[in-house]
């Protein structure tokens, strides 16, 4: 039976948003046999047992009711202590930390709290697919700033400043970056901070991959740059570093007057993050450091395998400094990113994501996760090699 609700009756802003390019090929792959997926950025590790046990214990004790909209004070205190240790930046756990349903909700709440219709938000290109959609859902205007392999896909302060107009209100940075694995070095963050201060901009920084950095690189947060704490909304979470994607726990750290605005969005849309998930997150912060180190070491080995493997089969691939994505160029094949990914899936049963899903500057590349099992990663690169040879 046809629906009586016509497409034109749906929200114009929702109709304008494209479905996620990440999920498109994941959904196709789910209908096929013998597919190796390098598409979805999800750790292949199971959440460490002691973290799972903390959630189970919370349930056994009957901790199944609502928490404060902000989240449990115990978890917020632990987050504030961790941020002070890592970045030497102090946040009041009572008024400046908000526990969210993953980083995705945190970014959405931040954008909805600060963006009015017509406000411009600067984002890196390529950048995570949700950034553009979240800005559009707030009737904001996306201003992409291209990055390139010539600078290891690191967004540059000069390029950001060139994109600033009188309508610019904020910039949204992913550090490290999904999809490229780029890390913004401290010196460049200081230059970006100067741009934000000169033009009175809010900085929303997505740092969900902040613990996944390699090759001697250190992660710095723009929130720790002098003068930036008061204009920075720091969003981070537990999904990637602790293999807790399904638990859906993230957090926002921001000055109280900014956080209060985001709390309004959060409390009406969400109420609070799941109580037992917050117990698991607390255990992760208290006793999960060794687990993170072990997982990062494993990702680092697979990172090198992926980069070397792609270069060996003729797909030029720079060495990502963070996250768990390789971003090889497929320009040598003459195929577009969409054509490459579509045909690769159908001919060799390997799922990847077209770089164009992350912005215009991503065309000519594909995103491949290396957080899958080593044997599957090796087999996937062999299959991609056969595909490249057949299409050269």
């Amino acid at each position: 039976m046809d629906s009586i609700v016509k497409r034109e009756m749906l929200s114009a802003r929702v109709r304008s948003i494209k479905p996620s390019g990440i999920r498109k090929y994941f959904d196709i792959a789910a209908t096929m046999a013998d597919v190796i997926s390098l598409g979805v950025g999800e750790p292949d590790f199971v959440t460490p047992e002691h973290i799972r046990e903390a959630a189970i214990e919370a349930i056994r004790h009957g901790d199944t009711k609502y928490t404060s909209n902000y989240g449990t004070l115990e978890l917020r205190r632990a987050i504030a202590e961790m941020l002070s240790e890592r970045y030497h930046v102090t946040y009041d756990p009572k008024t400046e930390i908000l526990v969210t349903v993953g980083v995705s909700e945190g970014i959405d709440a931040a954008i909805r709290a600060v963006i009015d219709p017509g406000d411009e938000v600067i984002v890196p290109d390529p950048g995570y697919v949700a950034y553009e959609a979240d800005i559009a859902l707030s009737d904001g205007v996306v201003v992409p700033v291209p990055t390139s392999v010539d600078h290891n896909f690191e967004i540059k302060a000069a390029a950001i400043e060139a994109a600033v107009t009188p309508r610019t209100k904020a910039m949204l940075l992913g550090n490290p970056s999904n999809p490229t694995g780029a890390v913004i070095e401290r010196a460049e963050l200081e230059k970006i901070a100067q741009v934000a201060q000169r033009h009175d901009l809010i900085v929303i920084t997505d740092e969900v991959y902040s613990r996944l950095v390699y090759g001697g690189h250190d992660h710095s947060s723009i929130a720790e740059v002098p003068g930036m704490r008061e204009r920075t909304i720091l969003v981070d979470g537990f999904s990637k570093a602790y293999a807790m994607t399904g638990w859906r726990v993230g957090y926002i750290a921001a000055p109280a007057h900014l956080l209060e605005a985001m709390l309004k969005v959060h409390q009406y849309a969400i109420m609070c993050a799941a109580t037992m998930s917050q117990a698991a997150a607390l255990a992760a912060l208290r006793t999960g450091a060794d687990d993170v180190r072990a997982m990062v070491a494993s990702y680092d080995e697979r990172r090198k395998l992926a980069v070397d493997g792609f270069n060996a089969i003729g797909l030029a691939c720079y060495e990502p400094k963070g996250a768990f994505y390789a971003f090889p160029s497929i320009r040598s094949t003459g195929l577009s990113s969409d054509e490459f990914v579509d045909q690769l899936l159908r001919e060799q049963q390997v799922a990847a994501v077209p770089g164009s899903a992350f912005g215009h500057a991503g065309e000519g590349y594909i995103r491949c996760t290396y957080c899958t099992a080593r044997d599957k990663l090796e087999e996937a690169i062999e299959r991609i090699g056969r595909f490249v040879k057949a299409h050269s």
Side-chain angles (χ1 to χ4, degrees):
M1 180 178 176
D2 292 337
S3 171
I4 61 172
V5 178
K6 298 179 180 178
R7 186 176 184 276
E8 290 74 17
M9 297 172 70
L10 300 175
S11 162
R13 66 173 69 87
V14 171
R15 282 188 278 129
S16 71
I17 294 172
K18 299 177 294 185
S20 168
I22 298 174
R23 286 287 167 180
K24 175 182 175 181
Y25 291 98
F26 177 81
D27 292 341
I28 295 172
T31 67
M32 302 172 64
D34 190 33
V35 171
I36 299 175
S37 178
L38 304 181
V40 178
E42 182 166 42
D44 65 329
F45 294 102
V46 175
T47 305
E49 184 176 8
H50 65 97
I51 297 175
R52 287 180 276 143
E53 284 298 323
I56 293 169
E57 198 61 26
I59 294 170
R60 287 198 182 109
H61 284 155
D63 294 336
T64 57
K65 297 183 181 298
Y66 293 132
T67 71
S68 161
N69 292 144
Y70 284 99
T72 66
L73 184 56
E74 194 174 16
L75 176 56
R76 286 181 279 143
R77 282 174 173 156
I79 292 169
E81 289 171 8
M82 177 271 294
L83 291 173
S84 178
E85 290 173 4
R86 290 189 76 191
Y87 304 132
H88 308 291
V89 179
T90 301
Y91 292 96
D92 184 340
K94 294 182 179 179
T95 60
E96 296 184 320
I97 303 288
L98 173 63
V99 181
T100 60
V101 180
V103 170
S104 296
E105 191 234 329
I107 294 170
D108 179 60
I111 291 171
R112 286 204 275 166
V114 302
I115 298 304
D116 285 318
D119 285 344
E120 294 177 355
V121 184
I122 291 171
V123 299
D125 180 7
Y128 182 50
V129 294
Y131 298 165
E132 181 176 346
D134 286 342
I135 294 165
L137 286 169
S138 292
D139 286 333
V141 178
V142 176
V143 180
V145 171
T147 62
S148 78
V149 71
D150 295 336
H151 298 289
N152 295 324
F153 291 105
E154 181 183 28
I155 192 167
K156 294 297 183 179
I160 291 174
E161 185 147 39
V164 173
T165 77
R167 296 305 304 264
T168 307
K169 181 179 277 188
M171 64 178 83
L172 172 53
L173 307 176
N175 186 32
S177 164
N178 176 5
T180 65
V183 171
I184 307 174
E185 301 291 357
R186 174 65 186 236
E188 198 64 34
L189 282 175
E190 291 175 352
K191 295 176 184 178
I192 292 172
Q194 292 172 9
V195 174
Q197 292 165 359
R198 272 196 297 273
H199 297 281
D200 194 23
L201 305 180
I202 295 171
V203 177
I204 304 169
T205 177
D206 172 4
E207 303 190 4
V208 71
Y209 298 98
S210 63
R211 294 183 183 273
L212 307 183
V213 290
Y214 315 100
H217 295 284
D218 292 324
H219 170 77
S220 295
S221 174
I222 198 167
E224 65 183 304
V225 176
M228 287 304 296
R229 180 196 179 281
E230 292 306 311
R231 64 175 65 250
T232 298
I233 299 170
L234 190 162
V235 188
D236 201 343
F238 300 83
S239 294
K240 310 300 185 177
Y242 297 95
M244 293 178 64
T245 52
W247 297 84
R248 310 311 303 132
V249 192
Y251 62 86
I252 302 171
H257 66 286
L258 290 176
L259 199 79
E260 184 179 7
M262 289 175 274
L263 178 68
K264 293 179 184 178
V265 177
H266 171 78
Q267 67 185 181
Y268 288 117
I270 300 296
M271 182 69 76
C272 65
T275 305
M276 55 290 300
S277 292
Q278 293 189 58
L282 180 61
L285 281 180
R286 284 179 170 172
T287 59
D290 288 343
D291 301 296
V292 173
R293 279 191 286 270
M295 287 187 276
V296 169
S298 178
Y299 295 145
D300 194 17
E301 290 179 0
R302 288 180 265 179
R303 175 182 71 105
K304 296 169 184 173
L305 187 157
V307 171
D308 291 346
F310 285 124
N311 282 317
I313 64 174
L315 298 184
C317 186
Y318 96 107
E319 185 175 314
K321 299 175 183 177
F324 40 49
Y325 306 106
F327 205 61
S329 171
I330 51 89
R331 289 173 176 160
S332 61
T333 66
L335 299 172
S336 71
S337 295
D338 275 304
E339 290 169 341
F340 187 101
V341 168
D342 183 70
Q343 293 178 39
L344 174 65
L345 179 58
R346 300 183 191 283
E347 295 177 23
Q348 292 292 335
Q349 292 77 53
V350 176
V353 183
S356 55
F358 303 96
H360 292 297
E363 178 54 58
Y365 296 85
I366 59 172
R367 192 197 75 173
C368 298
T369 66
Y370 52 80
C371 54
T372 191
R374 185 185 180 97
D375 59 336
K376 290 185 178 179
L377 181 59
E378 290 174 336
E379 172 63 21
I381 293 173
E382 284 186 19
R383 294 185 188 185
I384 296 171
R386 292 197 294 268
F387 177 82
V388 170
K389 187 174 181 179
H391 289 268
S392 294

